[in-house]
Amino acid sequence: MLLEFKQVSKQYGTDTKALTNVNFAVSEGEFVSIIGPSGAGKSTLLRCINRMIDASSGEILFHGVDMLASKKSELKRLRTQMGMVFQHYNLVDRLSVIENVLHGRLGYKSTLEGVLGLYSKEEKHQAFTILRTLGLEEQVYKRCDQLSGGQKQRVGIARALVQNPKMLLCDEPIASLDPNASKVIMDHLRNISTTMGITVIVNLHQVDTALKYSDRILGVNKGTIVYDGHPSGINREQ
Ligand code: ADP
Ligand code: ADP
């Protein structure tokens, strides 16, 4: 099993219970969408996976290793296997596309501009290959603040992919995009899962999109899992 949640709870402060005894397991290569109303706990759940947020109790196993018990160095290593994609892209706007992508790989070892020389031929070659796959070959040397939202999100995905992750965690990746750009992003995520065998876990508030693209749906409401199964089991009228 790639990822297991066992009795995971998260409380913010003294009285906000964002997650209560959450249990689920994800196998390698699955495309899983997390859906549910605003405030249900979707973002908290996703961010607990790589410990961007620390769960309050329970076990989060990645390849059987307990993330919550991992020390800093171990955690760093595990996190490189979990690429993260954000709603607001989280790019360095004044840097070029290729610089943003390569920095992702090396964990921002430098924030200076003009740092392409720091990276090996192989590293650059891999970055170019990924950018081409995502249809960004024309944008490689553009500054990120000159890109459309959909292009920025593809850069975000490329930055995650150069780490050779086992899993992509995508937190509302299309919430800021128009329908056309959203479709492009979802098609890329689906393709990454199918052709590269990378597990994709994505938070979506668009239920129809989740049903169309996913192998599996995790329905979250009030901090608990209320549905775990095939998209065909979801009643759209609910
Ligand atoms: P969703 O992603 O489904 O909208 P969230 O995980 O963002 O849900 O939020 C779940 C609950 O936790 C909500 O009640 C929200 O207000 C609360 N919450 C989220 N983040 C914080 C935080 N940093 N501090 C306090 N409460 C928070
Ligand atoms: P170096 O100066 O170390 O040779 P380069 O930046 O010239 O590094 O190229 C490194 C690798 O990146 C090349 O082998 C090539 O695969 C790829 N590459 C460089 N520039 C481009 C480009 N404009 N389009 C596609 N791939 C490129």
Side-chain angles (χ1 to χ4, degrees):
M1 205 51 76
L2 184 73
L3 177 71
E4 284 177 87
F5 267 50
K6 294 184 175 175
Q7 297 291 103
V8 173
S9 297
K10 170 64 186 178
Q11 184 162 333
Y12 292 108
T14 49
D15 49 22
T16 306
K17 286 190 167 160
L19 298 176
T20 306
N21 297 333
V22 168
N23 295 289
F24 65 91
V26 176
S27 315
E28 252 165 71
E30 277 192 287
F31 192 116
V32 181
S33 289
I34 302 169
I35 63 171
S38 184
K42 303 183 296 295
S43 182
T44 300
L45 193 164
L46 196 80
R47 285 161 187 252
C48 279
I49 296 174
N50 67 355
R51 284 187 60 185
M52 263 185 85
I53 292 175
D54 271 327
S56 308
S57 60
E59 281 177 70
I60 298 174
L61 306 177
F62 182 69
H63 283 308
V65 179
D66 188 352
M67 293 289 293
L68 291 172
S70 294
K71 294 211 173 68
K72 223 173 175 178
S73 58
E74 172 77 347
L75 187 60
K76 210 171 160 187
R77 189 183 67 77
L78 292 169
R79 275 187 176 147
T80 65
Q81 301 179 36
M82 310 176 177
M84 187 103 192
V85 175
F86 303 90
Q87 175 179 351
H88 299 293
Y89 327 118
N90 293 15
L91 304 175
V92 183
D93 274 342
R94 67 187 167 78
L95 294 185
S96 67
V97 166
I98 185 76
E99 286 170 323
N100 268 277
V101 171
L102 286 168
H103 273 320
R105 178 182 174 120
L106 295 184
Y108 289 84
K109 82 176 173 191
S110 166
T111 54
L112 300 173
E113 279 154 274
V115 290
L116 285 177
L118 283 176
Y119 301 94
S120 71
K121 220 182 211 5
E122 291 70 32
E123 287 166 342
K124 282 187 255 183
H125 183 77
Q126 189 206 13
F128 277 108
T129 303
I130 289 168
L131 287 169
R132 205 175 299 126
T133 306
L134 292 166
L136 289 169
E137 58 273 28
E138 309 274 309
Q139 279 73 39
V140 170
Y141 297 109
K142 279 199 182 152
R143 276 171 59 129
C144 283
D145 51 14
Q146 295 171 350
L147 305 180
S148 69
Q151 290 171 335
K152 284 183 184 174
Q153 194 55 293
R154 282 184 273 152
V155 177
I157 293 170
R159 180 183 54 191
L161 287 179
V162 289
Q163 300 183 85
N164 301 316
K166 292 264 187 289
M167 177 163 79
L168 278 189
L169 305 173
C170 311
D171 198 3
E172 298 281 4
I174 59 171
S176 304
L177 301 178
D178 66 38
N180 288 335
S182 296
K183 181 174 186 309
V184 171
I185 294 300
M186 291 306 297
D187 286 344
H188 278 301
L189 291 177
R190 182 68 243 188
N191 188 43
I192 286 162
S193 159
T194 305
T195 66
M196 302 170 89
I198 293 174
T199 304
V200 174
I201 304 181
V202 54
N203 272 348
L204 291 168
H205 65 249
Q206 303 85 342
V207 175
D208 285 346
T209 304
L211 299 184
K212 179 174 164 201
Y213 283 92
S214 313
D215 301 324
R216 174 154 161 224
I217 302 286
L218 284 181
V220 179
N221 198 8
K222 294 183 182 153
T224 64
I225 305 271
V226 293
Y227 182 85
D228 181 358
H230 195 265
S232 61
I234 299 273
N235 178 357
R236 284 169 194 245
E237 306 307 316
Q238 276 174 357

